Amino acid sequence: MASGSKRTTMKYIYNLPYREYYMLCRYLNADDTWEDVAGNWMNMDVLTIMDLRRQKNPAEYVLNLWGHENHTIVELFVIFHKMKFYEPMKLLQPYVSPKYHYLLHDVEKCLQKSTYKKPEPDRYSKDMKIGEQNCNWKQPAVSDLIKLLSETSTKKDHCMKNKVMLQVPVIEVPQPQSDSNNLNVVSPKATPLHDLSIVNQITNTSKKNNNVLFTKNEITLPQATYEELVVATDMWSIQNVLSKGSFSTVYKVFINYKLNVLGQWKNTAVAIKRMAPRNPSSDQYLRTEIQQSFTEIKILNSRPHENILPLYAYSLDGETPCLIYQLMQNGSLDDALRLRGNSEPLSWLQRHEIAVGTARGLQYLHTIGDRPLIHGDIKSSNILLNRNLEPRLGDFGLAREGPEKADMLVSKILGTKPYLPDDYLTDRRLSTKIDTYSFGIVLYELATGLLAYDNSRPQHKFLKEFVKNFNKDDQAQIMDKKAGTEMKSIFINFILLGNWCTNKLPKDRPEMEPVFRKLNNL
């Protein structure tokens, strides 16, 4: 019962377990079914689909792209229902709330009655969407089944040329082999990123445009070979996966004590972030990956700090870019608050020190340069803890330089919705106050031990709404009891500072420097 409950709490496509994700890709790749799903049901434009046809595993890219928009497993389940696509529905059934299981039974009855031919989607009728707020888009709250797919645009496909396929979540899905059922398949030899002219183009463009990328002469970090990283991770074994983020998979080093083989990179405990393997013949994807890697290298190489994750080296000579970091033995703050890995509960004093260190790192990023560096994705899973539970800010894939004063308009909203303020989601005005707001949500997490977004809460699924639903006299009810009773007054301080940081209007939120001083002086 507990296992089934855990399954149905998996909300997003990228939460699917490895095996199910792999099998789903196989179903969609068969007979090019992915094209029907992408074009007719996910409303992807023609240029995107033409690009995907050149990929060895196009279904993976379709799911990654849709997953990046935080579409849910249930939404995919409903799409398959409309297609009468039984096999993937059966695969997803354990991860869908029982109230939607009748859709699978409908398909079963249909298949039993007659031979089925896939229906063409009605481009002019209103489709139905699941009544759960999508965590990447602002939507009105609705109940049960509501609009699943937006009405198909009547504009021609060429009007969507500028649709960007950047920063998709990565879940390792190997190519199926006819002679093996092994899910842990890796290519025997890496295909190098040998076309360094692309690197030159990117670095020259970045210098011309004065953006956050760097020229090759500015690289002071050592380079590692891709092959030695393959060895260090036991050929990218899924057993060595530490986490899967929006754009990459992070591996720990492989150590085989029985064979006396030390897989650590240079005898140093590290974590290796590997970007998604792409088709080297596709310059677009290659440029995207290198740009994302360069952005993170530039930031971590130019702004070292005791509360920023140390970057040791990088690799660009293999089939995909890789970054090598110091290993954080205690995982993320999110891991610690959820007691993953049999970790001990954090005390109030430990939580306070984590908050202080995180605020110190953020105010440093905002003030060290001529222009503030906005992290853009502050959340508990991006705050990493070392052996001594000291926090390090990680994952700078969404970081952007902000304006010298006030804010600026951006064309694309990046980040995780439960940690983003409404004014940013609606007006797209980027400023340091975005990080301040996100930090306020982290303070709520530290105080309550609750998720920033929890669909199982009957009301107030967003943590900010949940916390502010309790008045001052009742707030003790939401205190995280796992933190103990010693120094529990820190709980109130977290709530008060969280309220300050998450004010509705940006002008009413503080900069991170006074937030750090407040925390440090408590």
Side-chain angles (χ1 to χ4, degrees):
M1 186 69 169
S3 175
S5 176
K6 184 177 180 181
R7 284 183 174 189
T8 55
T9 59
M10 291 184 181
K11 181 176 174 63
Y12 300 107
I13 294 170
Y14 51 75
N15 290 143
L16 282 171
Y18 179 86
R19 179 184 175 280
E20 281 73 4
Y21 197 93
Y22 167 74
M23 292 301 299
L24 190 55
C25 286
R26 292 193 64 178
Y27 285 133
L28 293 178
N29 281 326
D31 300 323
D32 293 327
T33 305
W34 67 267
E35 285 199 34
D36 184 17
V37 175
N40 292 328
W41 302 97
M42 293 181 179
N43 295 326
M44 293 186 185
D45 61 275
V46 172
L47 293 177
T48 297
I49 292 175
M50 289 176 64
D51 257 344
L52 292 175
R53 285 174 184 159
R54 296 196 290 266
Q55 306 306 319
K56 292 181 179 179
N57 189 354
E60 176 191 6
Y61 289 86
V62 170
L63 294 177
N64 281 344
L65 184 60
W66 227 48
H68 175 55
E69 297 175 354
N70 279 353
H71 287 288
T72 63
I73 298 171
V74 180
E75 289 179 65
L76 197 57
F77 188 77
V78 174
I79 286 179
F80 292 148
H81 168 255
K82 294 185 177 187
M83 296 173 65
K84 299 296 186 291
F85 200 0
Y86 177 79
E87 289 84 0
M89 286 186 75
K90 188 69 176 174
L91 184 72
L92 296 180
Q93 183 185 18
Y95 307 98
V96 172
S97 172
K99 68 180 180 179
Y100 300 113
H101 289 182
Y102 76 92
L103 298 175
L104 179 63
H105 303 323
D106 285 348
V107 175
E108 287 177 331
K109 292 177 182 177
C110 179
L111 294 177
Q112 288 169 1
K113 286 181 179 179
S114 61
T115 303
Y116 168 72
K117 181 180 179 182
K118 286 182 184 179
E120 291 295 325
D122 184 356
R123 293 180 177 273
Y124 302 99
S125 65
K126 291 188 176 181
D127 293 327
M128 302 296 289
K129 186 162 188 172
I130 302 309
E132 296 175 356
Q133 286 181 315
N134 183 294
C135 284
N136 238 8
W137 305 101
K138 186 169 183 179
Q139 303 173 343
V142 289
S143 60
D144 294 327
L145 289 174
I146 60 168
K147 198 171 183 183
L148 171 64
L149 297 172
S150 59
E151 293 182 45
T152 305
S153 173
T154 56
K155 295 181 180 179
K156 293 184 179 179
D157 290 326
H158 73 267
C159 294
M160 301 177 68
K161 285 185 185 178
N162 297 324
K163 186 169 183 176
V164 181
M165 284 188 62
L166 298 182
Q167 301 173 340
V168 296
V170 175
I171 300 182
E172 298 295 328
V173 181
Q175 288 296 309
Q177 296 187 357
S178 59
D179 60 347
S180 173
N181 292 321
N182 182 12
L183 298 183
N184 186 24
V185 178
V186 290
S187 57
K189 186 170 182 179
T191 304
L193 298 174
H194 53 272
D195 187 1
L196 294 180
S197 63
I198 295 179
V199 178
N200 291 331
Q201 292 171 21
I202 293 174
T203 54
N204 290 337
T205 301
S206 73
K207 188 173 182 180
K208 180 179 179 181
N209 295 337
N210 193 30
N211 61 20
V212 298
L213 302 183
F214 57 87
T215 64
K216 289 192 292 182
N217 294 332
E218 292 173 332
I219 304 175
T220 59
L221 287 168
Q223 292 191 55
T225 67
Y226 188 81
E227 290 303 321
E228 64 183 303
L229 302 185
V230 171
V231 173
T233 57
D234 191 23
M235 299 183 70
W236 309 113
S237 168
I238 59 173
Q239 273 119 18
N240 291 323
V241 172
L242 283 173
S243 64
K244 292 175 181 176
S246 298
F247 328 117
S248 58
T249 303
V250 180
Y251 297 82
K252 62 183 177 182
V253 294
F254 169 72
I255 304 175
N256 191 329
Y257 293 107
K258 291 182 180 179
L259 298 179
N260 198 27
V261 175
L262 184 65
Q264 290 177 307
W265 180 77
K266 307 299 182 186
N267 297 315
T268 304
V270 296
I272 301 171
K273 177 188 282 190
R274 183 192 187 209
M275 305 299 287
R278 306 291 191 196
N279 185 349
S281 65
S282 176
D283 286 355
Q284 177 187 356
Y285 293 122
L286 185 56
R287 285 191 182 93
T288 299
E289 289 176 334
I290 295 175
Q291 284 175 332
Q292 291 171 3
S293 299
F294 275 12
T295 299
E296 191 147 10
I297 294 171
K298 165 70 175 179
I299 293 166
L300 297 180
N301 189 40
S302 64
R303 308 194 188 193
H305 185 267
E306 62 180 306
N307 295 117
I308 295 175
L309 183 65
L311 179 65
Y312 288 161
Y314 68 97
S315 170
L316 291 177
D317 71 335
E319 64 181 11
T320 180
C322 297
L323 303 179
I324 305 165
Y325 303 91
Q326 182 183 44
L327 181 67
M328 296 286 105
Q329 289 85 348
N330 280 303
S332 68
L333 174 59
D334 184 59
D335 294 332
L337 291 174
R338 318 296 161 226
L339 302 182
R340 298 191 185 106
N342 298 318
S343 58
E344 293 292 323
L346 296 171
S347 68
W348 286 116
L349 182 58
Q350 288 170 329
R351 295 176 193 227
H352 176 261
E353 292 304 309
I354 290 169
V356 170
T358 303
R360 183 189 291 113
L362 269 177
Q363 62 88 34
Y364 176 83
L365 291 174
H366 290 177
T367 58
I368 188 61
D370 295 333
R371 298 172 64 185
L373 184 72
I374 300 167
H375 185 284
D377 200 19
I378 294 297
K379 54 185 177 182
S380 56
S381 59
N382 284 340
I383 298 170
L384 306 173
L385 306 176
N386 69 6
R387 189 187 304 275
N388 300 316
L389 293 174
E390 296 166 334
R392 303 285 186 268
L393 292 174
D395 199 345
F396 284 78
L398 302 186
R400 289 183 278 190
E401 284 190 335
E404 294 181 10
K405 296 181 180 180
D407 56 21
M408 67 180 182
L409 186 67
V410 293
S411 59
K412 187 175 180 63
I413 296 172
L414 302 173
T416 307
K417 184 175 179 181
Y419 295 87
L420 297 176
D422 288 340
D423 56 277
Y424 177 52
L425 295 170
T426 55
D427 300 333
R428 294 183 287 118
R429 306 297 306 187
L430 181 70
S431 73
T432 55
K433 302 297 183 72
I434 306 300
D435 283 347
T436 299
Y437 182 96
S438 302
F439 180 73
I441 302 298
V442 172
L443 289 177
Y444 287 152
E445 289 184 278
L446 285 166
T448 65
L450 300 174
L451 294 167
Y453 178 90
D454 189 348
N455 191 54
S456 67
R457 286 195 284 263
Q459 293 180 315
H460 311 299
K461 300 180 187 300
F462 289 90
L463 186 54
K464 176 188 173 183
E465 299 169 355
F466 183 79
V467 170
K468 295 197 172 182
N469 185 55
F470 289 83
N471 58 43
K472 187 175 181 181
D473 295 331
D474 298 331
Q475 284 176 344
Q477 297 178 30
I478 58 174
M479 181 190 300
D480 190 355
K481 304 300 188 294
K482 299 189 299 293
T485 57
E486 187 175 357
M487 302 184 72
K488 65 180 183 180
S489 59
I490 290 174
F491 164 79
I492 294 298
N493 294 327
F494 281 165
I495 295 296
L496 293 175
L497 278 175
N499 292 342
W500 191 26
C501 292
T502 59
N503 269 312
K504 184 175 182 179
L505 299 178
K507 67 181 181 64
D508 294 330
R509 295 175 211 140
E511 295 291 351
M512 283 306 303
E513 193 172 1
V515 174
F516 165 71
R517 287 200 303 268
K518 286 275 189 184
L519 278 167
N520 198 44
N521 293 335
L522 289 175

